[in-house]
Amino acid sequence: MPELGTLEELPLDYRNGLTANNLVPLWPNLRAALPYDIPSRRTRPMVWHYADIRPRLLQAGELTPIEKAERRVLVLANPGLGLENMQATPSIYIGMQLILPRETAPNHRHSPSAVRFVVEGEGGFTVVEGEKLPMEKGDLILTPSGLWHEHGHAGAGPVVWLDALDLPVVYSLEASYCLDGKPQTVRNQPDASQTRYRRAGLLPYTALSRPRNAYPLRRFPWKETRAALLDLAGVTDANEIVQLAYVNPETGLECLPILGFSAIMLRPGETIRPSRRSASAVLHVVEGEGEAQIDGVALTWGGQDTMAVPTHARVEIANRSTTRPAYLFQVDDAPMQRKLGFYEEFQG
Ligand code: 1HN
């Protein structure tokens, strides 16, 4: 490893001349930009406990009417990345959104892609391009880049969901913006995408003779995901992770371009050690409790808690229960990294 020259070694008038001309010498900054072996990471391995979020979110419901918020959200901001930057990891935005009975979150569309993962409550719904999608606990709802979406609540009690967006990526590209719209006309075909793409391996026949649909399936019911995980566990070796990827049923590929979504089941008493990899991730606990070690940081997790996993991190997650499975929902930026050609998994 060559010893690189420092900024201080350069004569002051030379440095001032560079600055005055908007020039920067690379060599004093090269190692920071390109560290050896492992990237430098500011993302802190951490957990947000739902017990700390929930009362503050309900308080926001009292303090701020929906009309004054548009979206009533508390953002899970990683302190290592600066709270004001609203990043859970470098690429992933995570918020917890509250909607109260009869409230509506108005129609809009934007360049970042979003998903909702329902945390609690009944009667919430999202309308995506005229299709009304029910929101039950654990359901995954897609609102891809550019599609109109608005939310409502026709039930009783608070409804809370987790928003995951690729906002940090789109914002850093100076490409993040939004358009407001009038309320959508709701087609009399609620949840039509879920009806059309009900089962893996079965497509509407006409899909075979037209270009692939970018976003054919907009709601993934948790009831189905959970049952599929339990079935998968029955045919998965003890040393393999029980994990399902949410995909586009027409292409078999990830359902959004930047962020990827998957569901993990930890069998009773199981500890998983996924390969160290170049992607960052967020883990949200649907059911169960246990411990995690993320780059040596010990975390304790339970239902509805959310964890941040930096890139290249060593991860160990243990289900504390020896009688019941635990279920996690994972968001990561592997789809973007694969497309850009630098996604890696490491041995050891
Ligand atoms: C957004 O559109 C929603 O539609 C929620 O519910 C959170 C955070 C940043 C930018 C857009 C929503 C958001 C968001």
Side-chain angles (χ1 to χ4, degrees), residues 70-71 73 75 86 93 95 97 105-106 108 110 112 114 116 143 149-151 161 163 165 167 176 178:
E70 209 168 295
R71 301 294 193 259
V73 177
V75 180
M86 302 198 296
Y93 161 103
Q97 179 161 176
H108 72 183
H110 39 68
R116 331 279 155 202
T143 59
H149 57 281
E150 62 194 285
H151 315 296
W161 62 75
D163 294 308
L165 284 84
L167 180 65
S176 176
C178 174

Side-chain angles (χ1 to χ4, degrees), residues 106-120:
N107 190 30
H108 72 183
R109 62 191 183 111
H110 39 68
S111 48
S113 288
V115 302
R116 331 279 155 202
F117 190 86
V118 183
V119 173
E120 69 163 291

Side-chain angles (χ1 to χ4, degrees), residues 78-99:
N78 194 303
L81 297 167
L83 292 182
E84 68 286 2
N85 294 316
M86 302 198 296
Q87 293 161 293
T89 79
S91 58
I92 305 173
Y93 161 103
I94 298 286
M96 286 281 182
Q97 179 161 176
L98 169 70
I99 188 159

Side-chain angles (χ1 to χ4, degrees), residues 54 58 98-101 120-122 153 156-160:
R54 190 177 191 276
L58 293 177
L98 169 70
I99 188 159
L100 295 168
E120 69 163 291
E122 275 156 37
H153 184 355
V159 164
V160 177

